[in-house]
Amino acid sequence: MKNRFCKMMALLTCMVMALLALCAGTATAEKNTEFLGNPFPEFTATDTEGKTFTLSEALKDHEAVLVNLWATWCGPCLMEFPFLSEVYQKYSDRVAFIALSVEPKNTMEDIAEYRRENNVALPMGRDEGEELYQYIRTDGIPDTVVIDRFGNAVFFHDSAFRSAGDVERVLDTFLGDSYTKTTVLESIPRDASTQAFPVSAARALYPEDGNYKKALIHVEGLKNPVACWLIPDESVLIRVEVAADDDVPVMMYEETYGETDTYLKDMLDPKAGTYIYEQFMPKPGDEYQFVKIALFDSAEEEVSEKDIIAYLVKDEDGLNALVDAIKSENNVEVSWEYAEEKAPAENAPQAYIIHVVDQDNKPVGEVTVNFCTDLACTPSESDESGTVTFTGAPDVYHVQIVDVPEGYSWDESYDMYTTKEYGEWVLRVKKD
């Protein structure tokens, strides 16, 4: 199954070996896209309600068809079903949906029970004989294929969707009167909605409460030690900071205890101007007494030097168990030491700084914004680097976009407010 992150013990190997530049064995095979742009084979399936689903019949009164391949034992499949269900409820009059289990042992009774227990809205059935699974020649599940109104396969996603918005942007590509000929979509369209994100001097990932002990794990072959915090509590608030040149909308926070992947933008507390995640810790008796947390550029990319990977343990026993696991899994020397936990460097800006970018994270100049209080508004314009610098007295300012250059647009209903203290934000507009 395609998943950049291995689970628990295997995940340790992936992290260490990747950073050692020896992770070739963990790379996933390139997905098969040969069938895209071609007619999708006719198929018929029966859903758990006893209704017959036939591709050609579905296309008679729908603009597109979404086929999802899954199995009852698949964790990422379960993770994406709430998103697919949400989109199904909004789009079912224009798009026909069917989720087919590729597990031969999944009976219709199993699938019906799964659908009921997990509140899956879209129709579910079986991929009889794994015909569709074999046709697209995939290495794992979940898989999603979209067939356009002309009966051609136009999109293939070989991992779990991370949000309902991702699914909607895919489907919107193939809907409406402007879609007049088959067009293959190679990746999920980027979110181009108007948004603002607070940024800092550099990336950081740490417990919000600085009283927790920090250890450094030294792994043979790694240039830098791996951070590990000792957290005796049931949960801890993890704070994330990102730099101005980071592409926040595609960044992911991942953690192994809840097997959760979260878009960083969904962790934003706009009033506090911070990204916060409540991270739960292992309970007594859990198989593993450590948690891996990570901040990645994108759900689709491999581990890079810019990514942050750290661990959380309950106590020294958990830390020693983690060290032993890394050592045994990778056959390398591993040691640890306590580190004096220093507060993140204070490089607080002495102005309100806004970096205006488009959906591809490219700077946009000549954007006029107003910094407004209840009494007055002061206009400022972004320079060639897309930067607006406003040195007004500290206050909570309502930032209003007034004008953008030709070829760009913004959501005129969008509201952005600064914190009372000076700070730095990335403000995104749309390149049309």
Side-chain angles (χ1 to χ4, degrees):
M1 178 183 305
K2 179 182 177 182
N3 193 333
R4 178 179 59 184
F5 307 109
C6 322
K7 296 300 180 184
M8 305 311 287
M9 295 301 293
L11 187 144
L12 288 166
T13 304
C14 184
M15 182 275 292
V16 175
M17 298 301 284
L19 294 177
L20 284 169
L22 297 174
C23 204
T26 66
T28 56
E30 185 174 346
K31 69 179 181 182
N32 172 41
T33 58
E34 293 178 0
F35 64 90
L36 291 177
N38 298 315
F40 200 72
E42 175 76 302
F43 71 90
T44 297
T46 303
D47 67 21
T48 55
E49 302 298 312
K51 298 178 181 178
T52 299
F53 184 103
T54 300
L55 176 60
S56 58
E57 291 298 316
L59 286 173
K60 287 181 179 179
D61 51 6
H62 294 87
E63 297 178 58
V65 170
L66 183 148
V67 179
N68 179 260
L69 302 181
W70 65 285
T72 54
W73 42 259
C74 169
C77 301
L78 179 61
M79 181 189 76
E80 76 170 352
F81 274 133
F83 308 137
L84 292 174
S85 293
E86 180 181 339
V87 178
Y88 169 76
Q89 291 170 333
K90 292 175 62 175
Y91 282 68
S92 60
D93 59 332
R94 304 177 68 187
V95 179
F97 292 71
I98 188 71
L100 301 175
S101 171
V102 301
E103 170 56 62
K105 294 181 180 179
N106 286 165
T107 65
M108 290 297 284
E109 290 75 17
D110 295 333
I111 295 169
E113 182 179 3
Y114 180 97
R115 182 171 184 252
R116 181 173 58 254
E117 289 182 351
N118 295 294
N119 297 313
V120 179
L122 60 155
M124 306 185 86
R126 285 165 44 92
D127 178 21
E128 298 291 349
E130 301 178 62
E131 290 185 5
L132 298 185
Y133 184 70
Q134 295 297 330
Y135 174 75
I136 64 175
R137 300 204 315 274
T138 181
D139 290 327
I141 50 174
D143 293 305
T144 299
V145 178
V146 176
I147 298 104
D148 72 3
R149 66 188 67 181
F150 308 111
N152 297 318
V154 287
F155 177 77
F156 176 44
H157 190 55
D158 62 345
S159 59
F161 282 103
R162 309 301 180 109
S163 72
D166 286 352
V167 186
E168 291 180 14
R169 291 195 300 278
V170 167
L171 294 178
D172 286 343
T173 304
F174 311 107
L175 304 181
D177 295 338
S178 61
Y179 187 79
T180 58
K181 66 177 182 177
T182 291
T183 303
V184 171
L185 181 65
E186 296 182 354
S187 61
I188 298 172
R190 294 172 64 95
D191 182 1
S193 60
T194 305
Q195 297 182 49
F197 306 101
V199 295
S200 304
R203 288 190 188 186
L205 181 70
Y206 55 89
E208 178 74 348
D209 185 339
N211 295 326
Y212 298 111
K213 289 184 178 180
K214 180 181 180 181
L216 297 177
I217 302 175
H218 300 274
V219 182
E220 179 187 4
L222 294 189
K223 180 179 178 181
N224 298 313
V226 180
C228 180
W229 282 273
L230 281 68
I231 311 291
D233 304 322
E234 292 183 358
S235 67
V236 60
L237 295 179
I238 298 297
R239 177 168 177 159
V240 177
E241 295 182 358
V242 292
D245 60 351
D246 282 328
D247 195 357
V248 178
V250 302
M251 296 180 73
M252 303 288 299
Y253 175 87
E254 303 211 359
E255 54 97 0
T256 56
Y257 186 65
E259 297 187 2
T260 300
D261 306 340
T262 304
Y263 275 120
L264 185 61
K265 61 184 178 65
D266 295 332
M267 294 164 49
L268 174 62
D269 180 344
K271 291 184 178 179
T274 57
Y275 307 93
I276 294 291
Y277 184 87
E278 184 178 9
Q279 177 63 63
F280 289 93
M281 295 295 295
K283 298 181 178 65
D286 285 347
E287 183 177 2
Y288 298 104
Q289 290 298 303
F290 49 83
V291 180
K292 173 190 170 257
I293 59 175
L295 178 66
F296 289 92
D297 276 332
S298 164
E300 303 298 333
E301 297 176 359
E302 298 299 330
V303 177
S304 75
E305 291 184 357
K306 291 182 65 178
D307 298 329
I308 300 177
I309 299 174
Y311 285 88
L312 308 176
V313 297
K314 298 284 285 187
D315 48 33
E316 282 193 8
D317 288 341
L319 179 53
N320 287 322
L322 173 60
V323 167
D324 290 342
I326 297 175
K327 187 181 302 183
S328 62
E329 287 292 315
N330 299 282
N331 194 28
V332 292
E333 290 298 319
V334 185
S335 62
W336 67 268
E337 63 177 345
Y338 280 118
E340 181 180 352
E341 178 65 2
K342 299 179 181 179
E346 291 292 338
N347 294 310
Q350 299 304 306
Y352 295 100
I353 300 172
I354 296 178
H355 304 275
V356 186
V357 301
D358 64 17
Q359 64 266 37
D360 294 318
N361 218 38
K362 302 293 179 58
V364 183
E366 300 181 4
V367 174
T368 303
V369 299
N370 275 340
F371 288 83
C372 297
T373 64
D374 290 339
L375 300 177
C377 289
T378 304
S380 295
E381 185 176 283
S382 61
D383 59 21
E384 292 181 356
S385 69
T387 301
V388 178
T389 302
F390 177 66
T391 56
D395 204 338
V396 176
Y397 289 92
H398 180 195
V399 179
Q400 301 171 326
I401 302 175
V402 178
D403 192 25
V404 297
E406 185 177 354
Y408 294 85
S409 60
W410 80 97
D411 178 0
E412 297 187 27
S413 66
Y414 180 77
D415 284 319
M416 172 190 166
Y417 290 86
T418 69
T419 54
K420 188 169 186 178
E421 300 77 20
Y422 288 135
E424 196 168 357
W425 290 261
V426 167
L427 176 62
R428 191 176 60 188
V429 296
K430 180 182 179 181
K431 184 176 182 179
D432 298 327

